[in-house]
Amino acid sequence: MVSAWYMDDSDEDQRLDHQKNPPQPVDMKDLVTLTGVLYWKLNLDSYEEDGVLDKIKKDRGYTYEDVIEISPEKLPNYEEKLKIFFSEHLHTDEEIRFVLSGSGFFDVRDAKNDSWIRIKVEAGDLLVLPAGIYHRFTLDSLNYIKAKRFFVGEPIWTPYNRPADEMPARREYLTSVLA
Ligand code: KMT
Ligand code: NI
């Protein structure tokens, strides 16, 4: 099960949990209303046949998919890529990740008060970050994740680093989440 919490403000290693003291968890219902993030838990033993992923792909129009594996050995330019992933940014389309193995953290901004919410993802978690949400990604201290990436049409992975407040994707995101 995915779990989420408001982050502390320490500059320590990004791979640590960064829980507040005392912890301030965010439940899934609040995560949806605060950020517009969508979440499903899929069965890793049956997702290829059970139709759950197929239905999500069909409903949301995902036509492209590939696999990304992040580890010092598997990802070319690992250090550089991790820096890019961890710079606060947005995209003009959804960022869709289905974790096949390993784990990591997606940090997203709460749209109302701009605080960081850290979402821990593990094998079986399917996360959809809406277009226009400010976010970043890091591995945790286990240093490994493998995930499927989906996209509607030809993929565009371009990150727009913050500030990108004037972009239509950003304005539309805020309108839909704050409505
Ligand atoms: C991204 O865009 O941040 C990534 O693809 C890295 C995370 S994938 C589990
Ligand atoms: Ni991104």
Side-chain angles (χ1 to χ4, degrees):
M1 184 66 191
V2 91
S3 60
W5 56 87
Y6 282 102
M7 288 182 77
D8 68 15
D9 333 300
S10 109
D11 294 330
E12 266 185 294
D13 185 350
Q14 69 191 51
R15 290 175 167 82
L16 300 177
D17 284 358
H18 287 273
Q19 290 270 11
K20 283 184 185 292
N21 183 15
Q24 210 177 316
V26 178
D27 69 29
M28 280 303 112
K29 204 164 116 298
D30 290 339
L31 186 68
V32 174
T33 42
L34 292 166
T35 68
V37 166
L38 303 177
Y39 166 76
W40 290 265
K41 184 79 184 184
L42 302 186
N43 184 332
L44 281 170
D45 296 323
S46 68
Y47 78 89
E48 286 169 295
E49 310 84 41
D50 64 24
V52 179
L53 179 58
D54 287 339
K55 175 156 175 22
I56 295 167
K57 281 164 63 178
K58 190 158 169 261
D59 289 348
R60 304 192 66 79
Y62 303 153
T63 48
Y64 170 93
E65 75 180 73
D66 68 7
V67 173
I68 182 166
E69 195 169 13
I70 307 179
S71 71
E73 297 78 27
K74 292 287 171 62
L75 190 70
N77 304 320
Y78 169 81
E79 291 293 344
E80 191 188 321
K81 291 252 175 62
L82 279 186
K83 274 195 197 122
I84 294 171
F85 291 153
F86 201 64
S87 306
E88 182 173 3
H89 63 273
L90 60 74
H91 306 281
T92 52
D93 299 273
E94 291 177 356
E95 179 166 322
I96 308 131
R97 299 291 185 269
F98 171 38
V99 183
L100 298 172
S101 65
S103 50
F105 298 121
F106 283 93
D107 298 336
V108 298
R109 291 284 191 183
D110 169 333
K112 280 211 186 71
N113 56 28
D114 213 33
S115 317
W116 280 120
I117 297 175
R118 174 153 278 197
I119 306 169
K120 182 170 179 72
V121 293
E122 295 171 316
D125 292 332
L126 169 61
L127 200 65
V128 176
L129 307 186
I133 191 173
Y134 283 130
H135 67 279
R136 63 188 182 189
F137 172 82
T138 181
L139 291 170
D140 60 26
S141 42
L142 300 177
N143 269 331
Y144 180 74
I145 198 165
K146 182 177 178 184
K148 277 185 186 275
R149 309 190 291 186
F150 298 96
F151 210 86
V152 180
E154 278 308 300
I156 304 163
W157 309 120
T158 315
Y160 295 90
N161 282 345
R162 190 170 185 173
D165 297 340
E166 305 311 320
M167 291 185 68
R170 180 65 190 166
R171 290 173 177 274
E172 284 156 24
Y173 168 73
L174 285 178
T175 308
S176 71
V177 172
L178 299 177

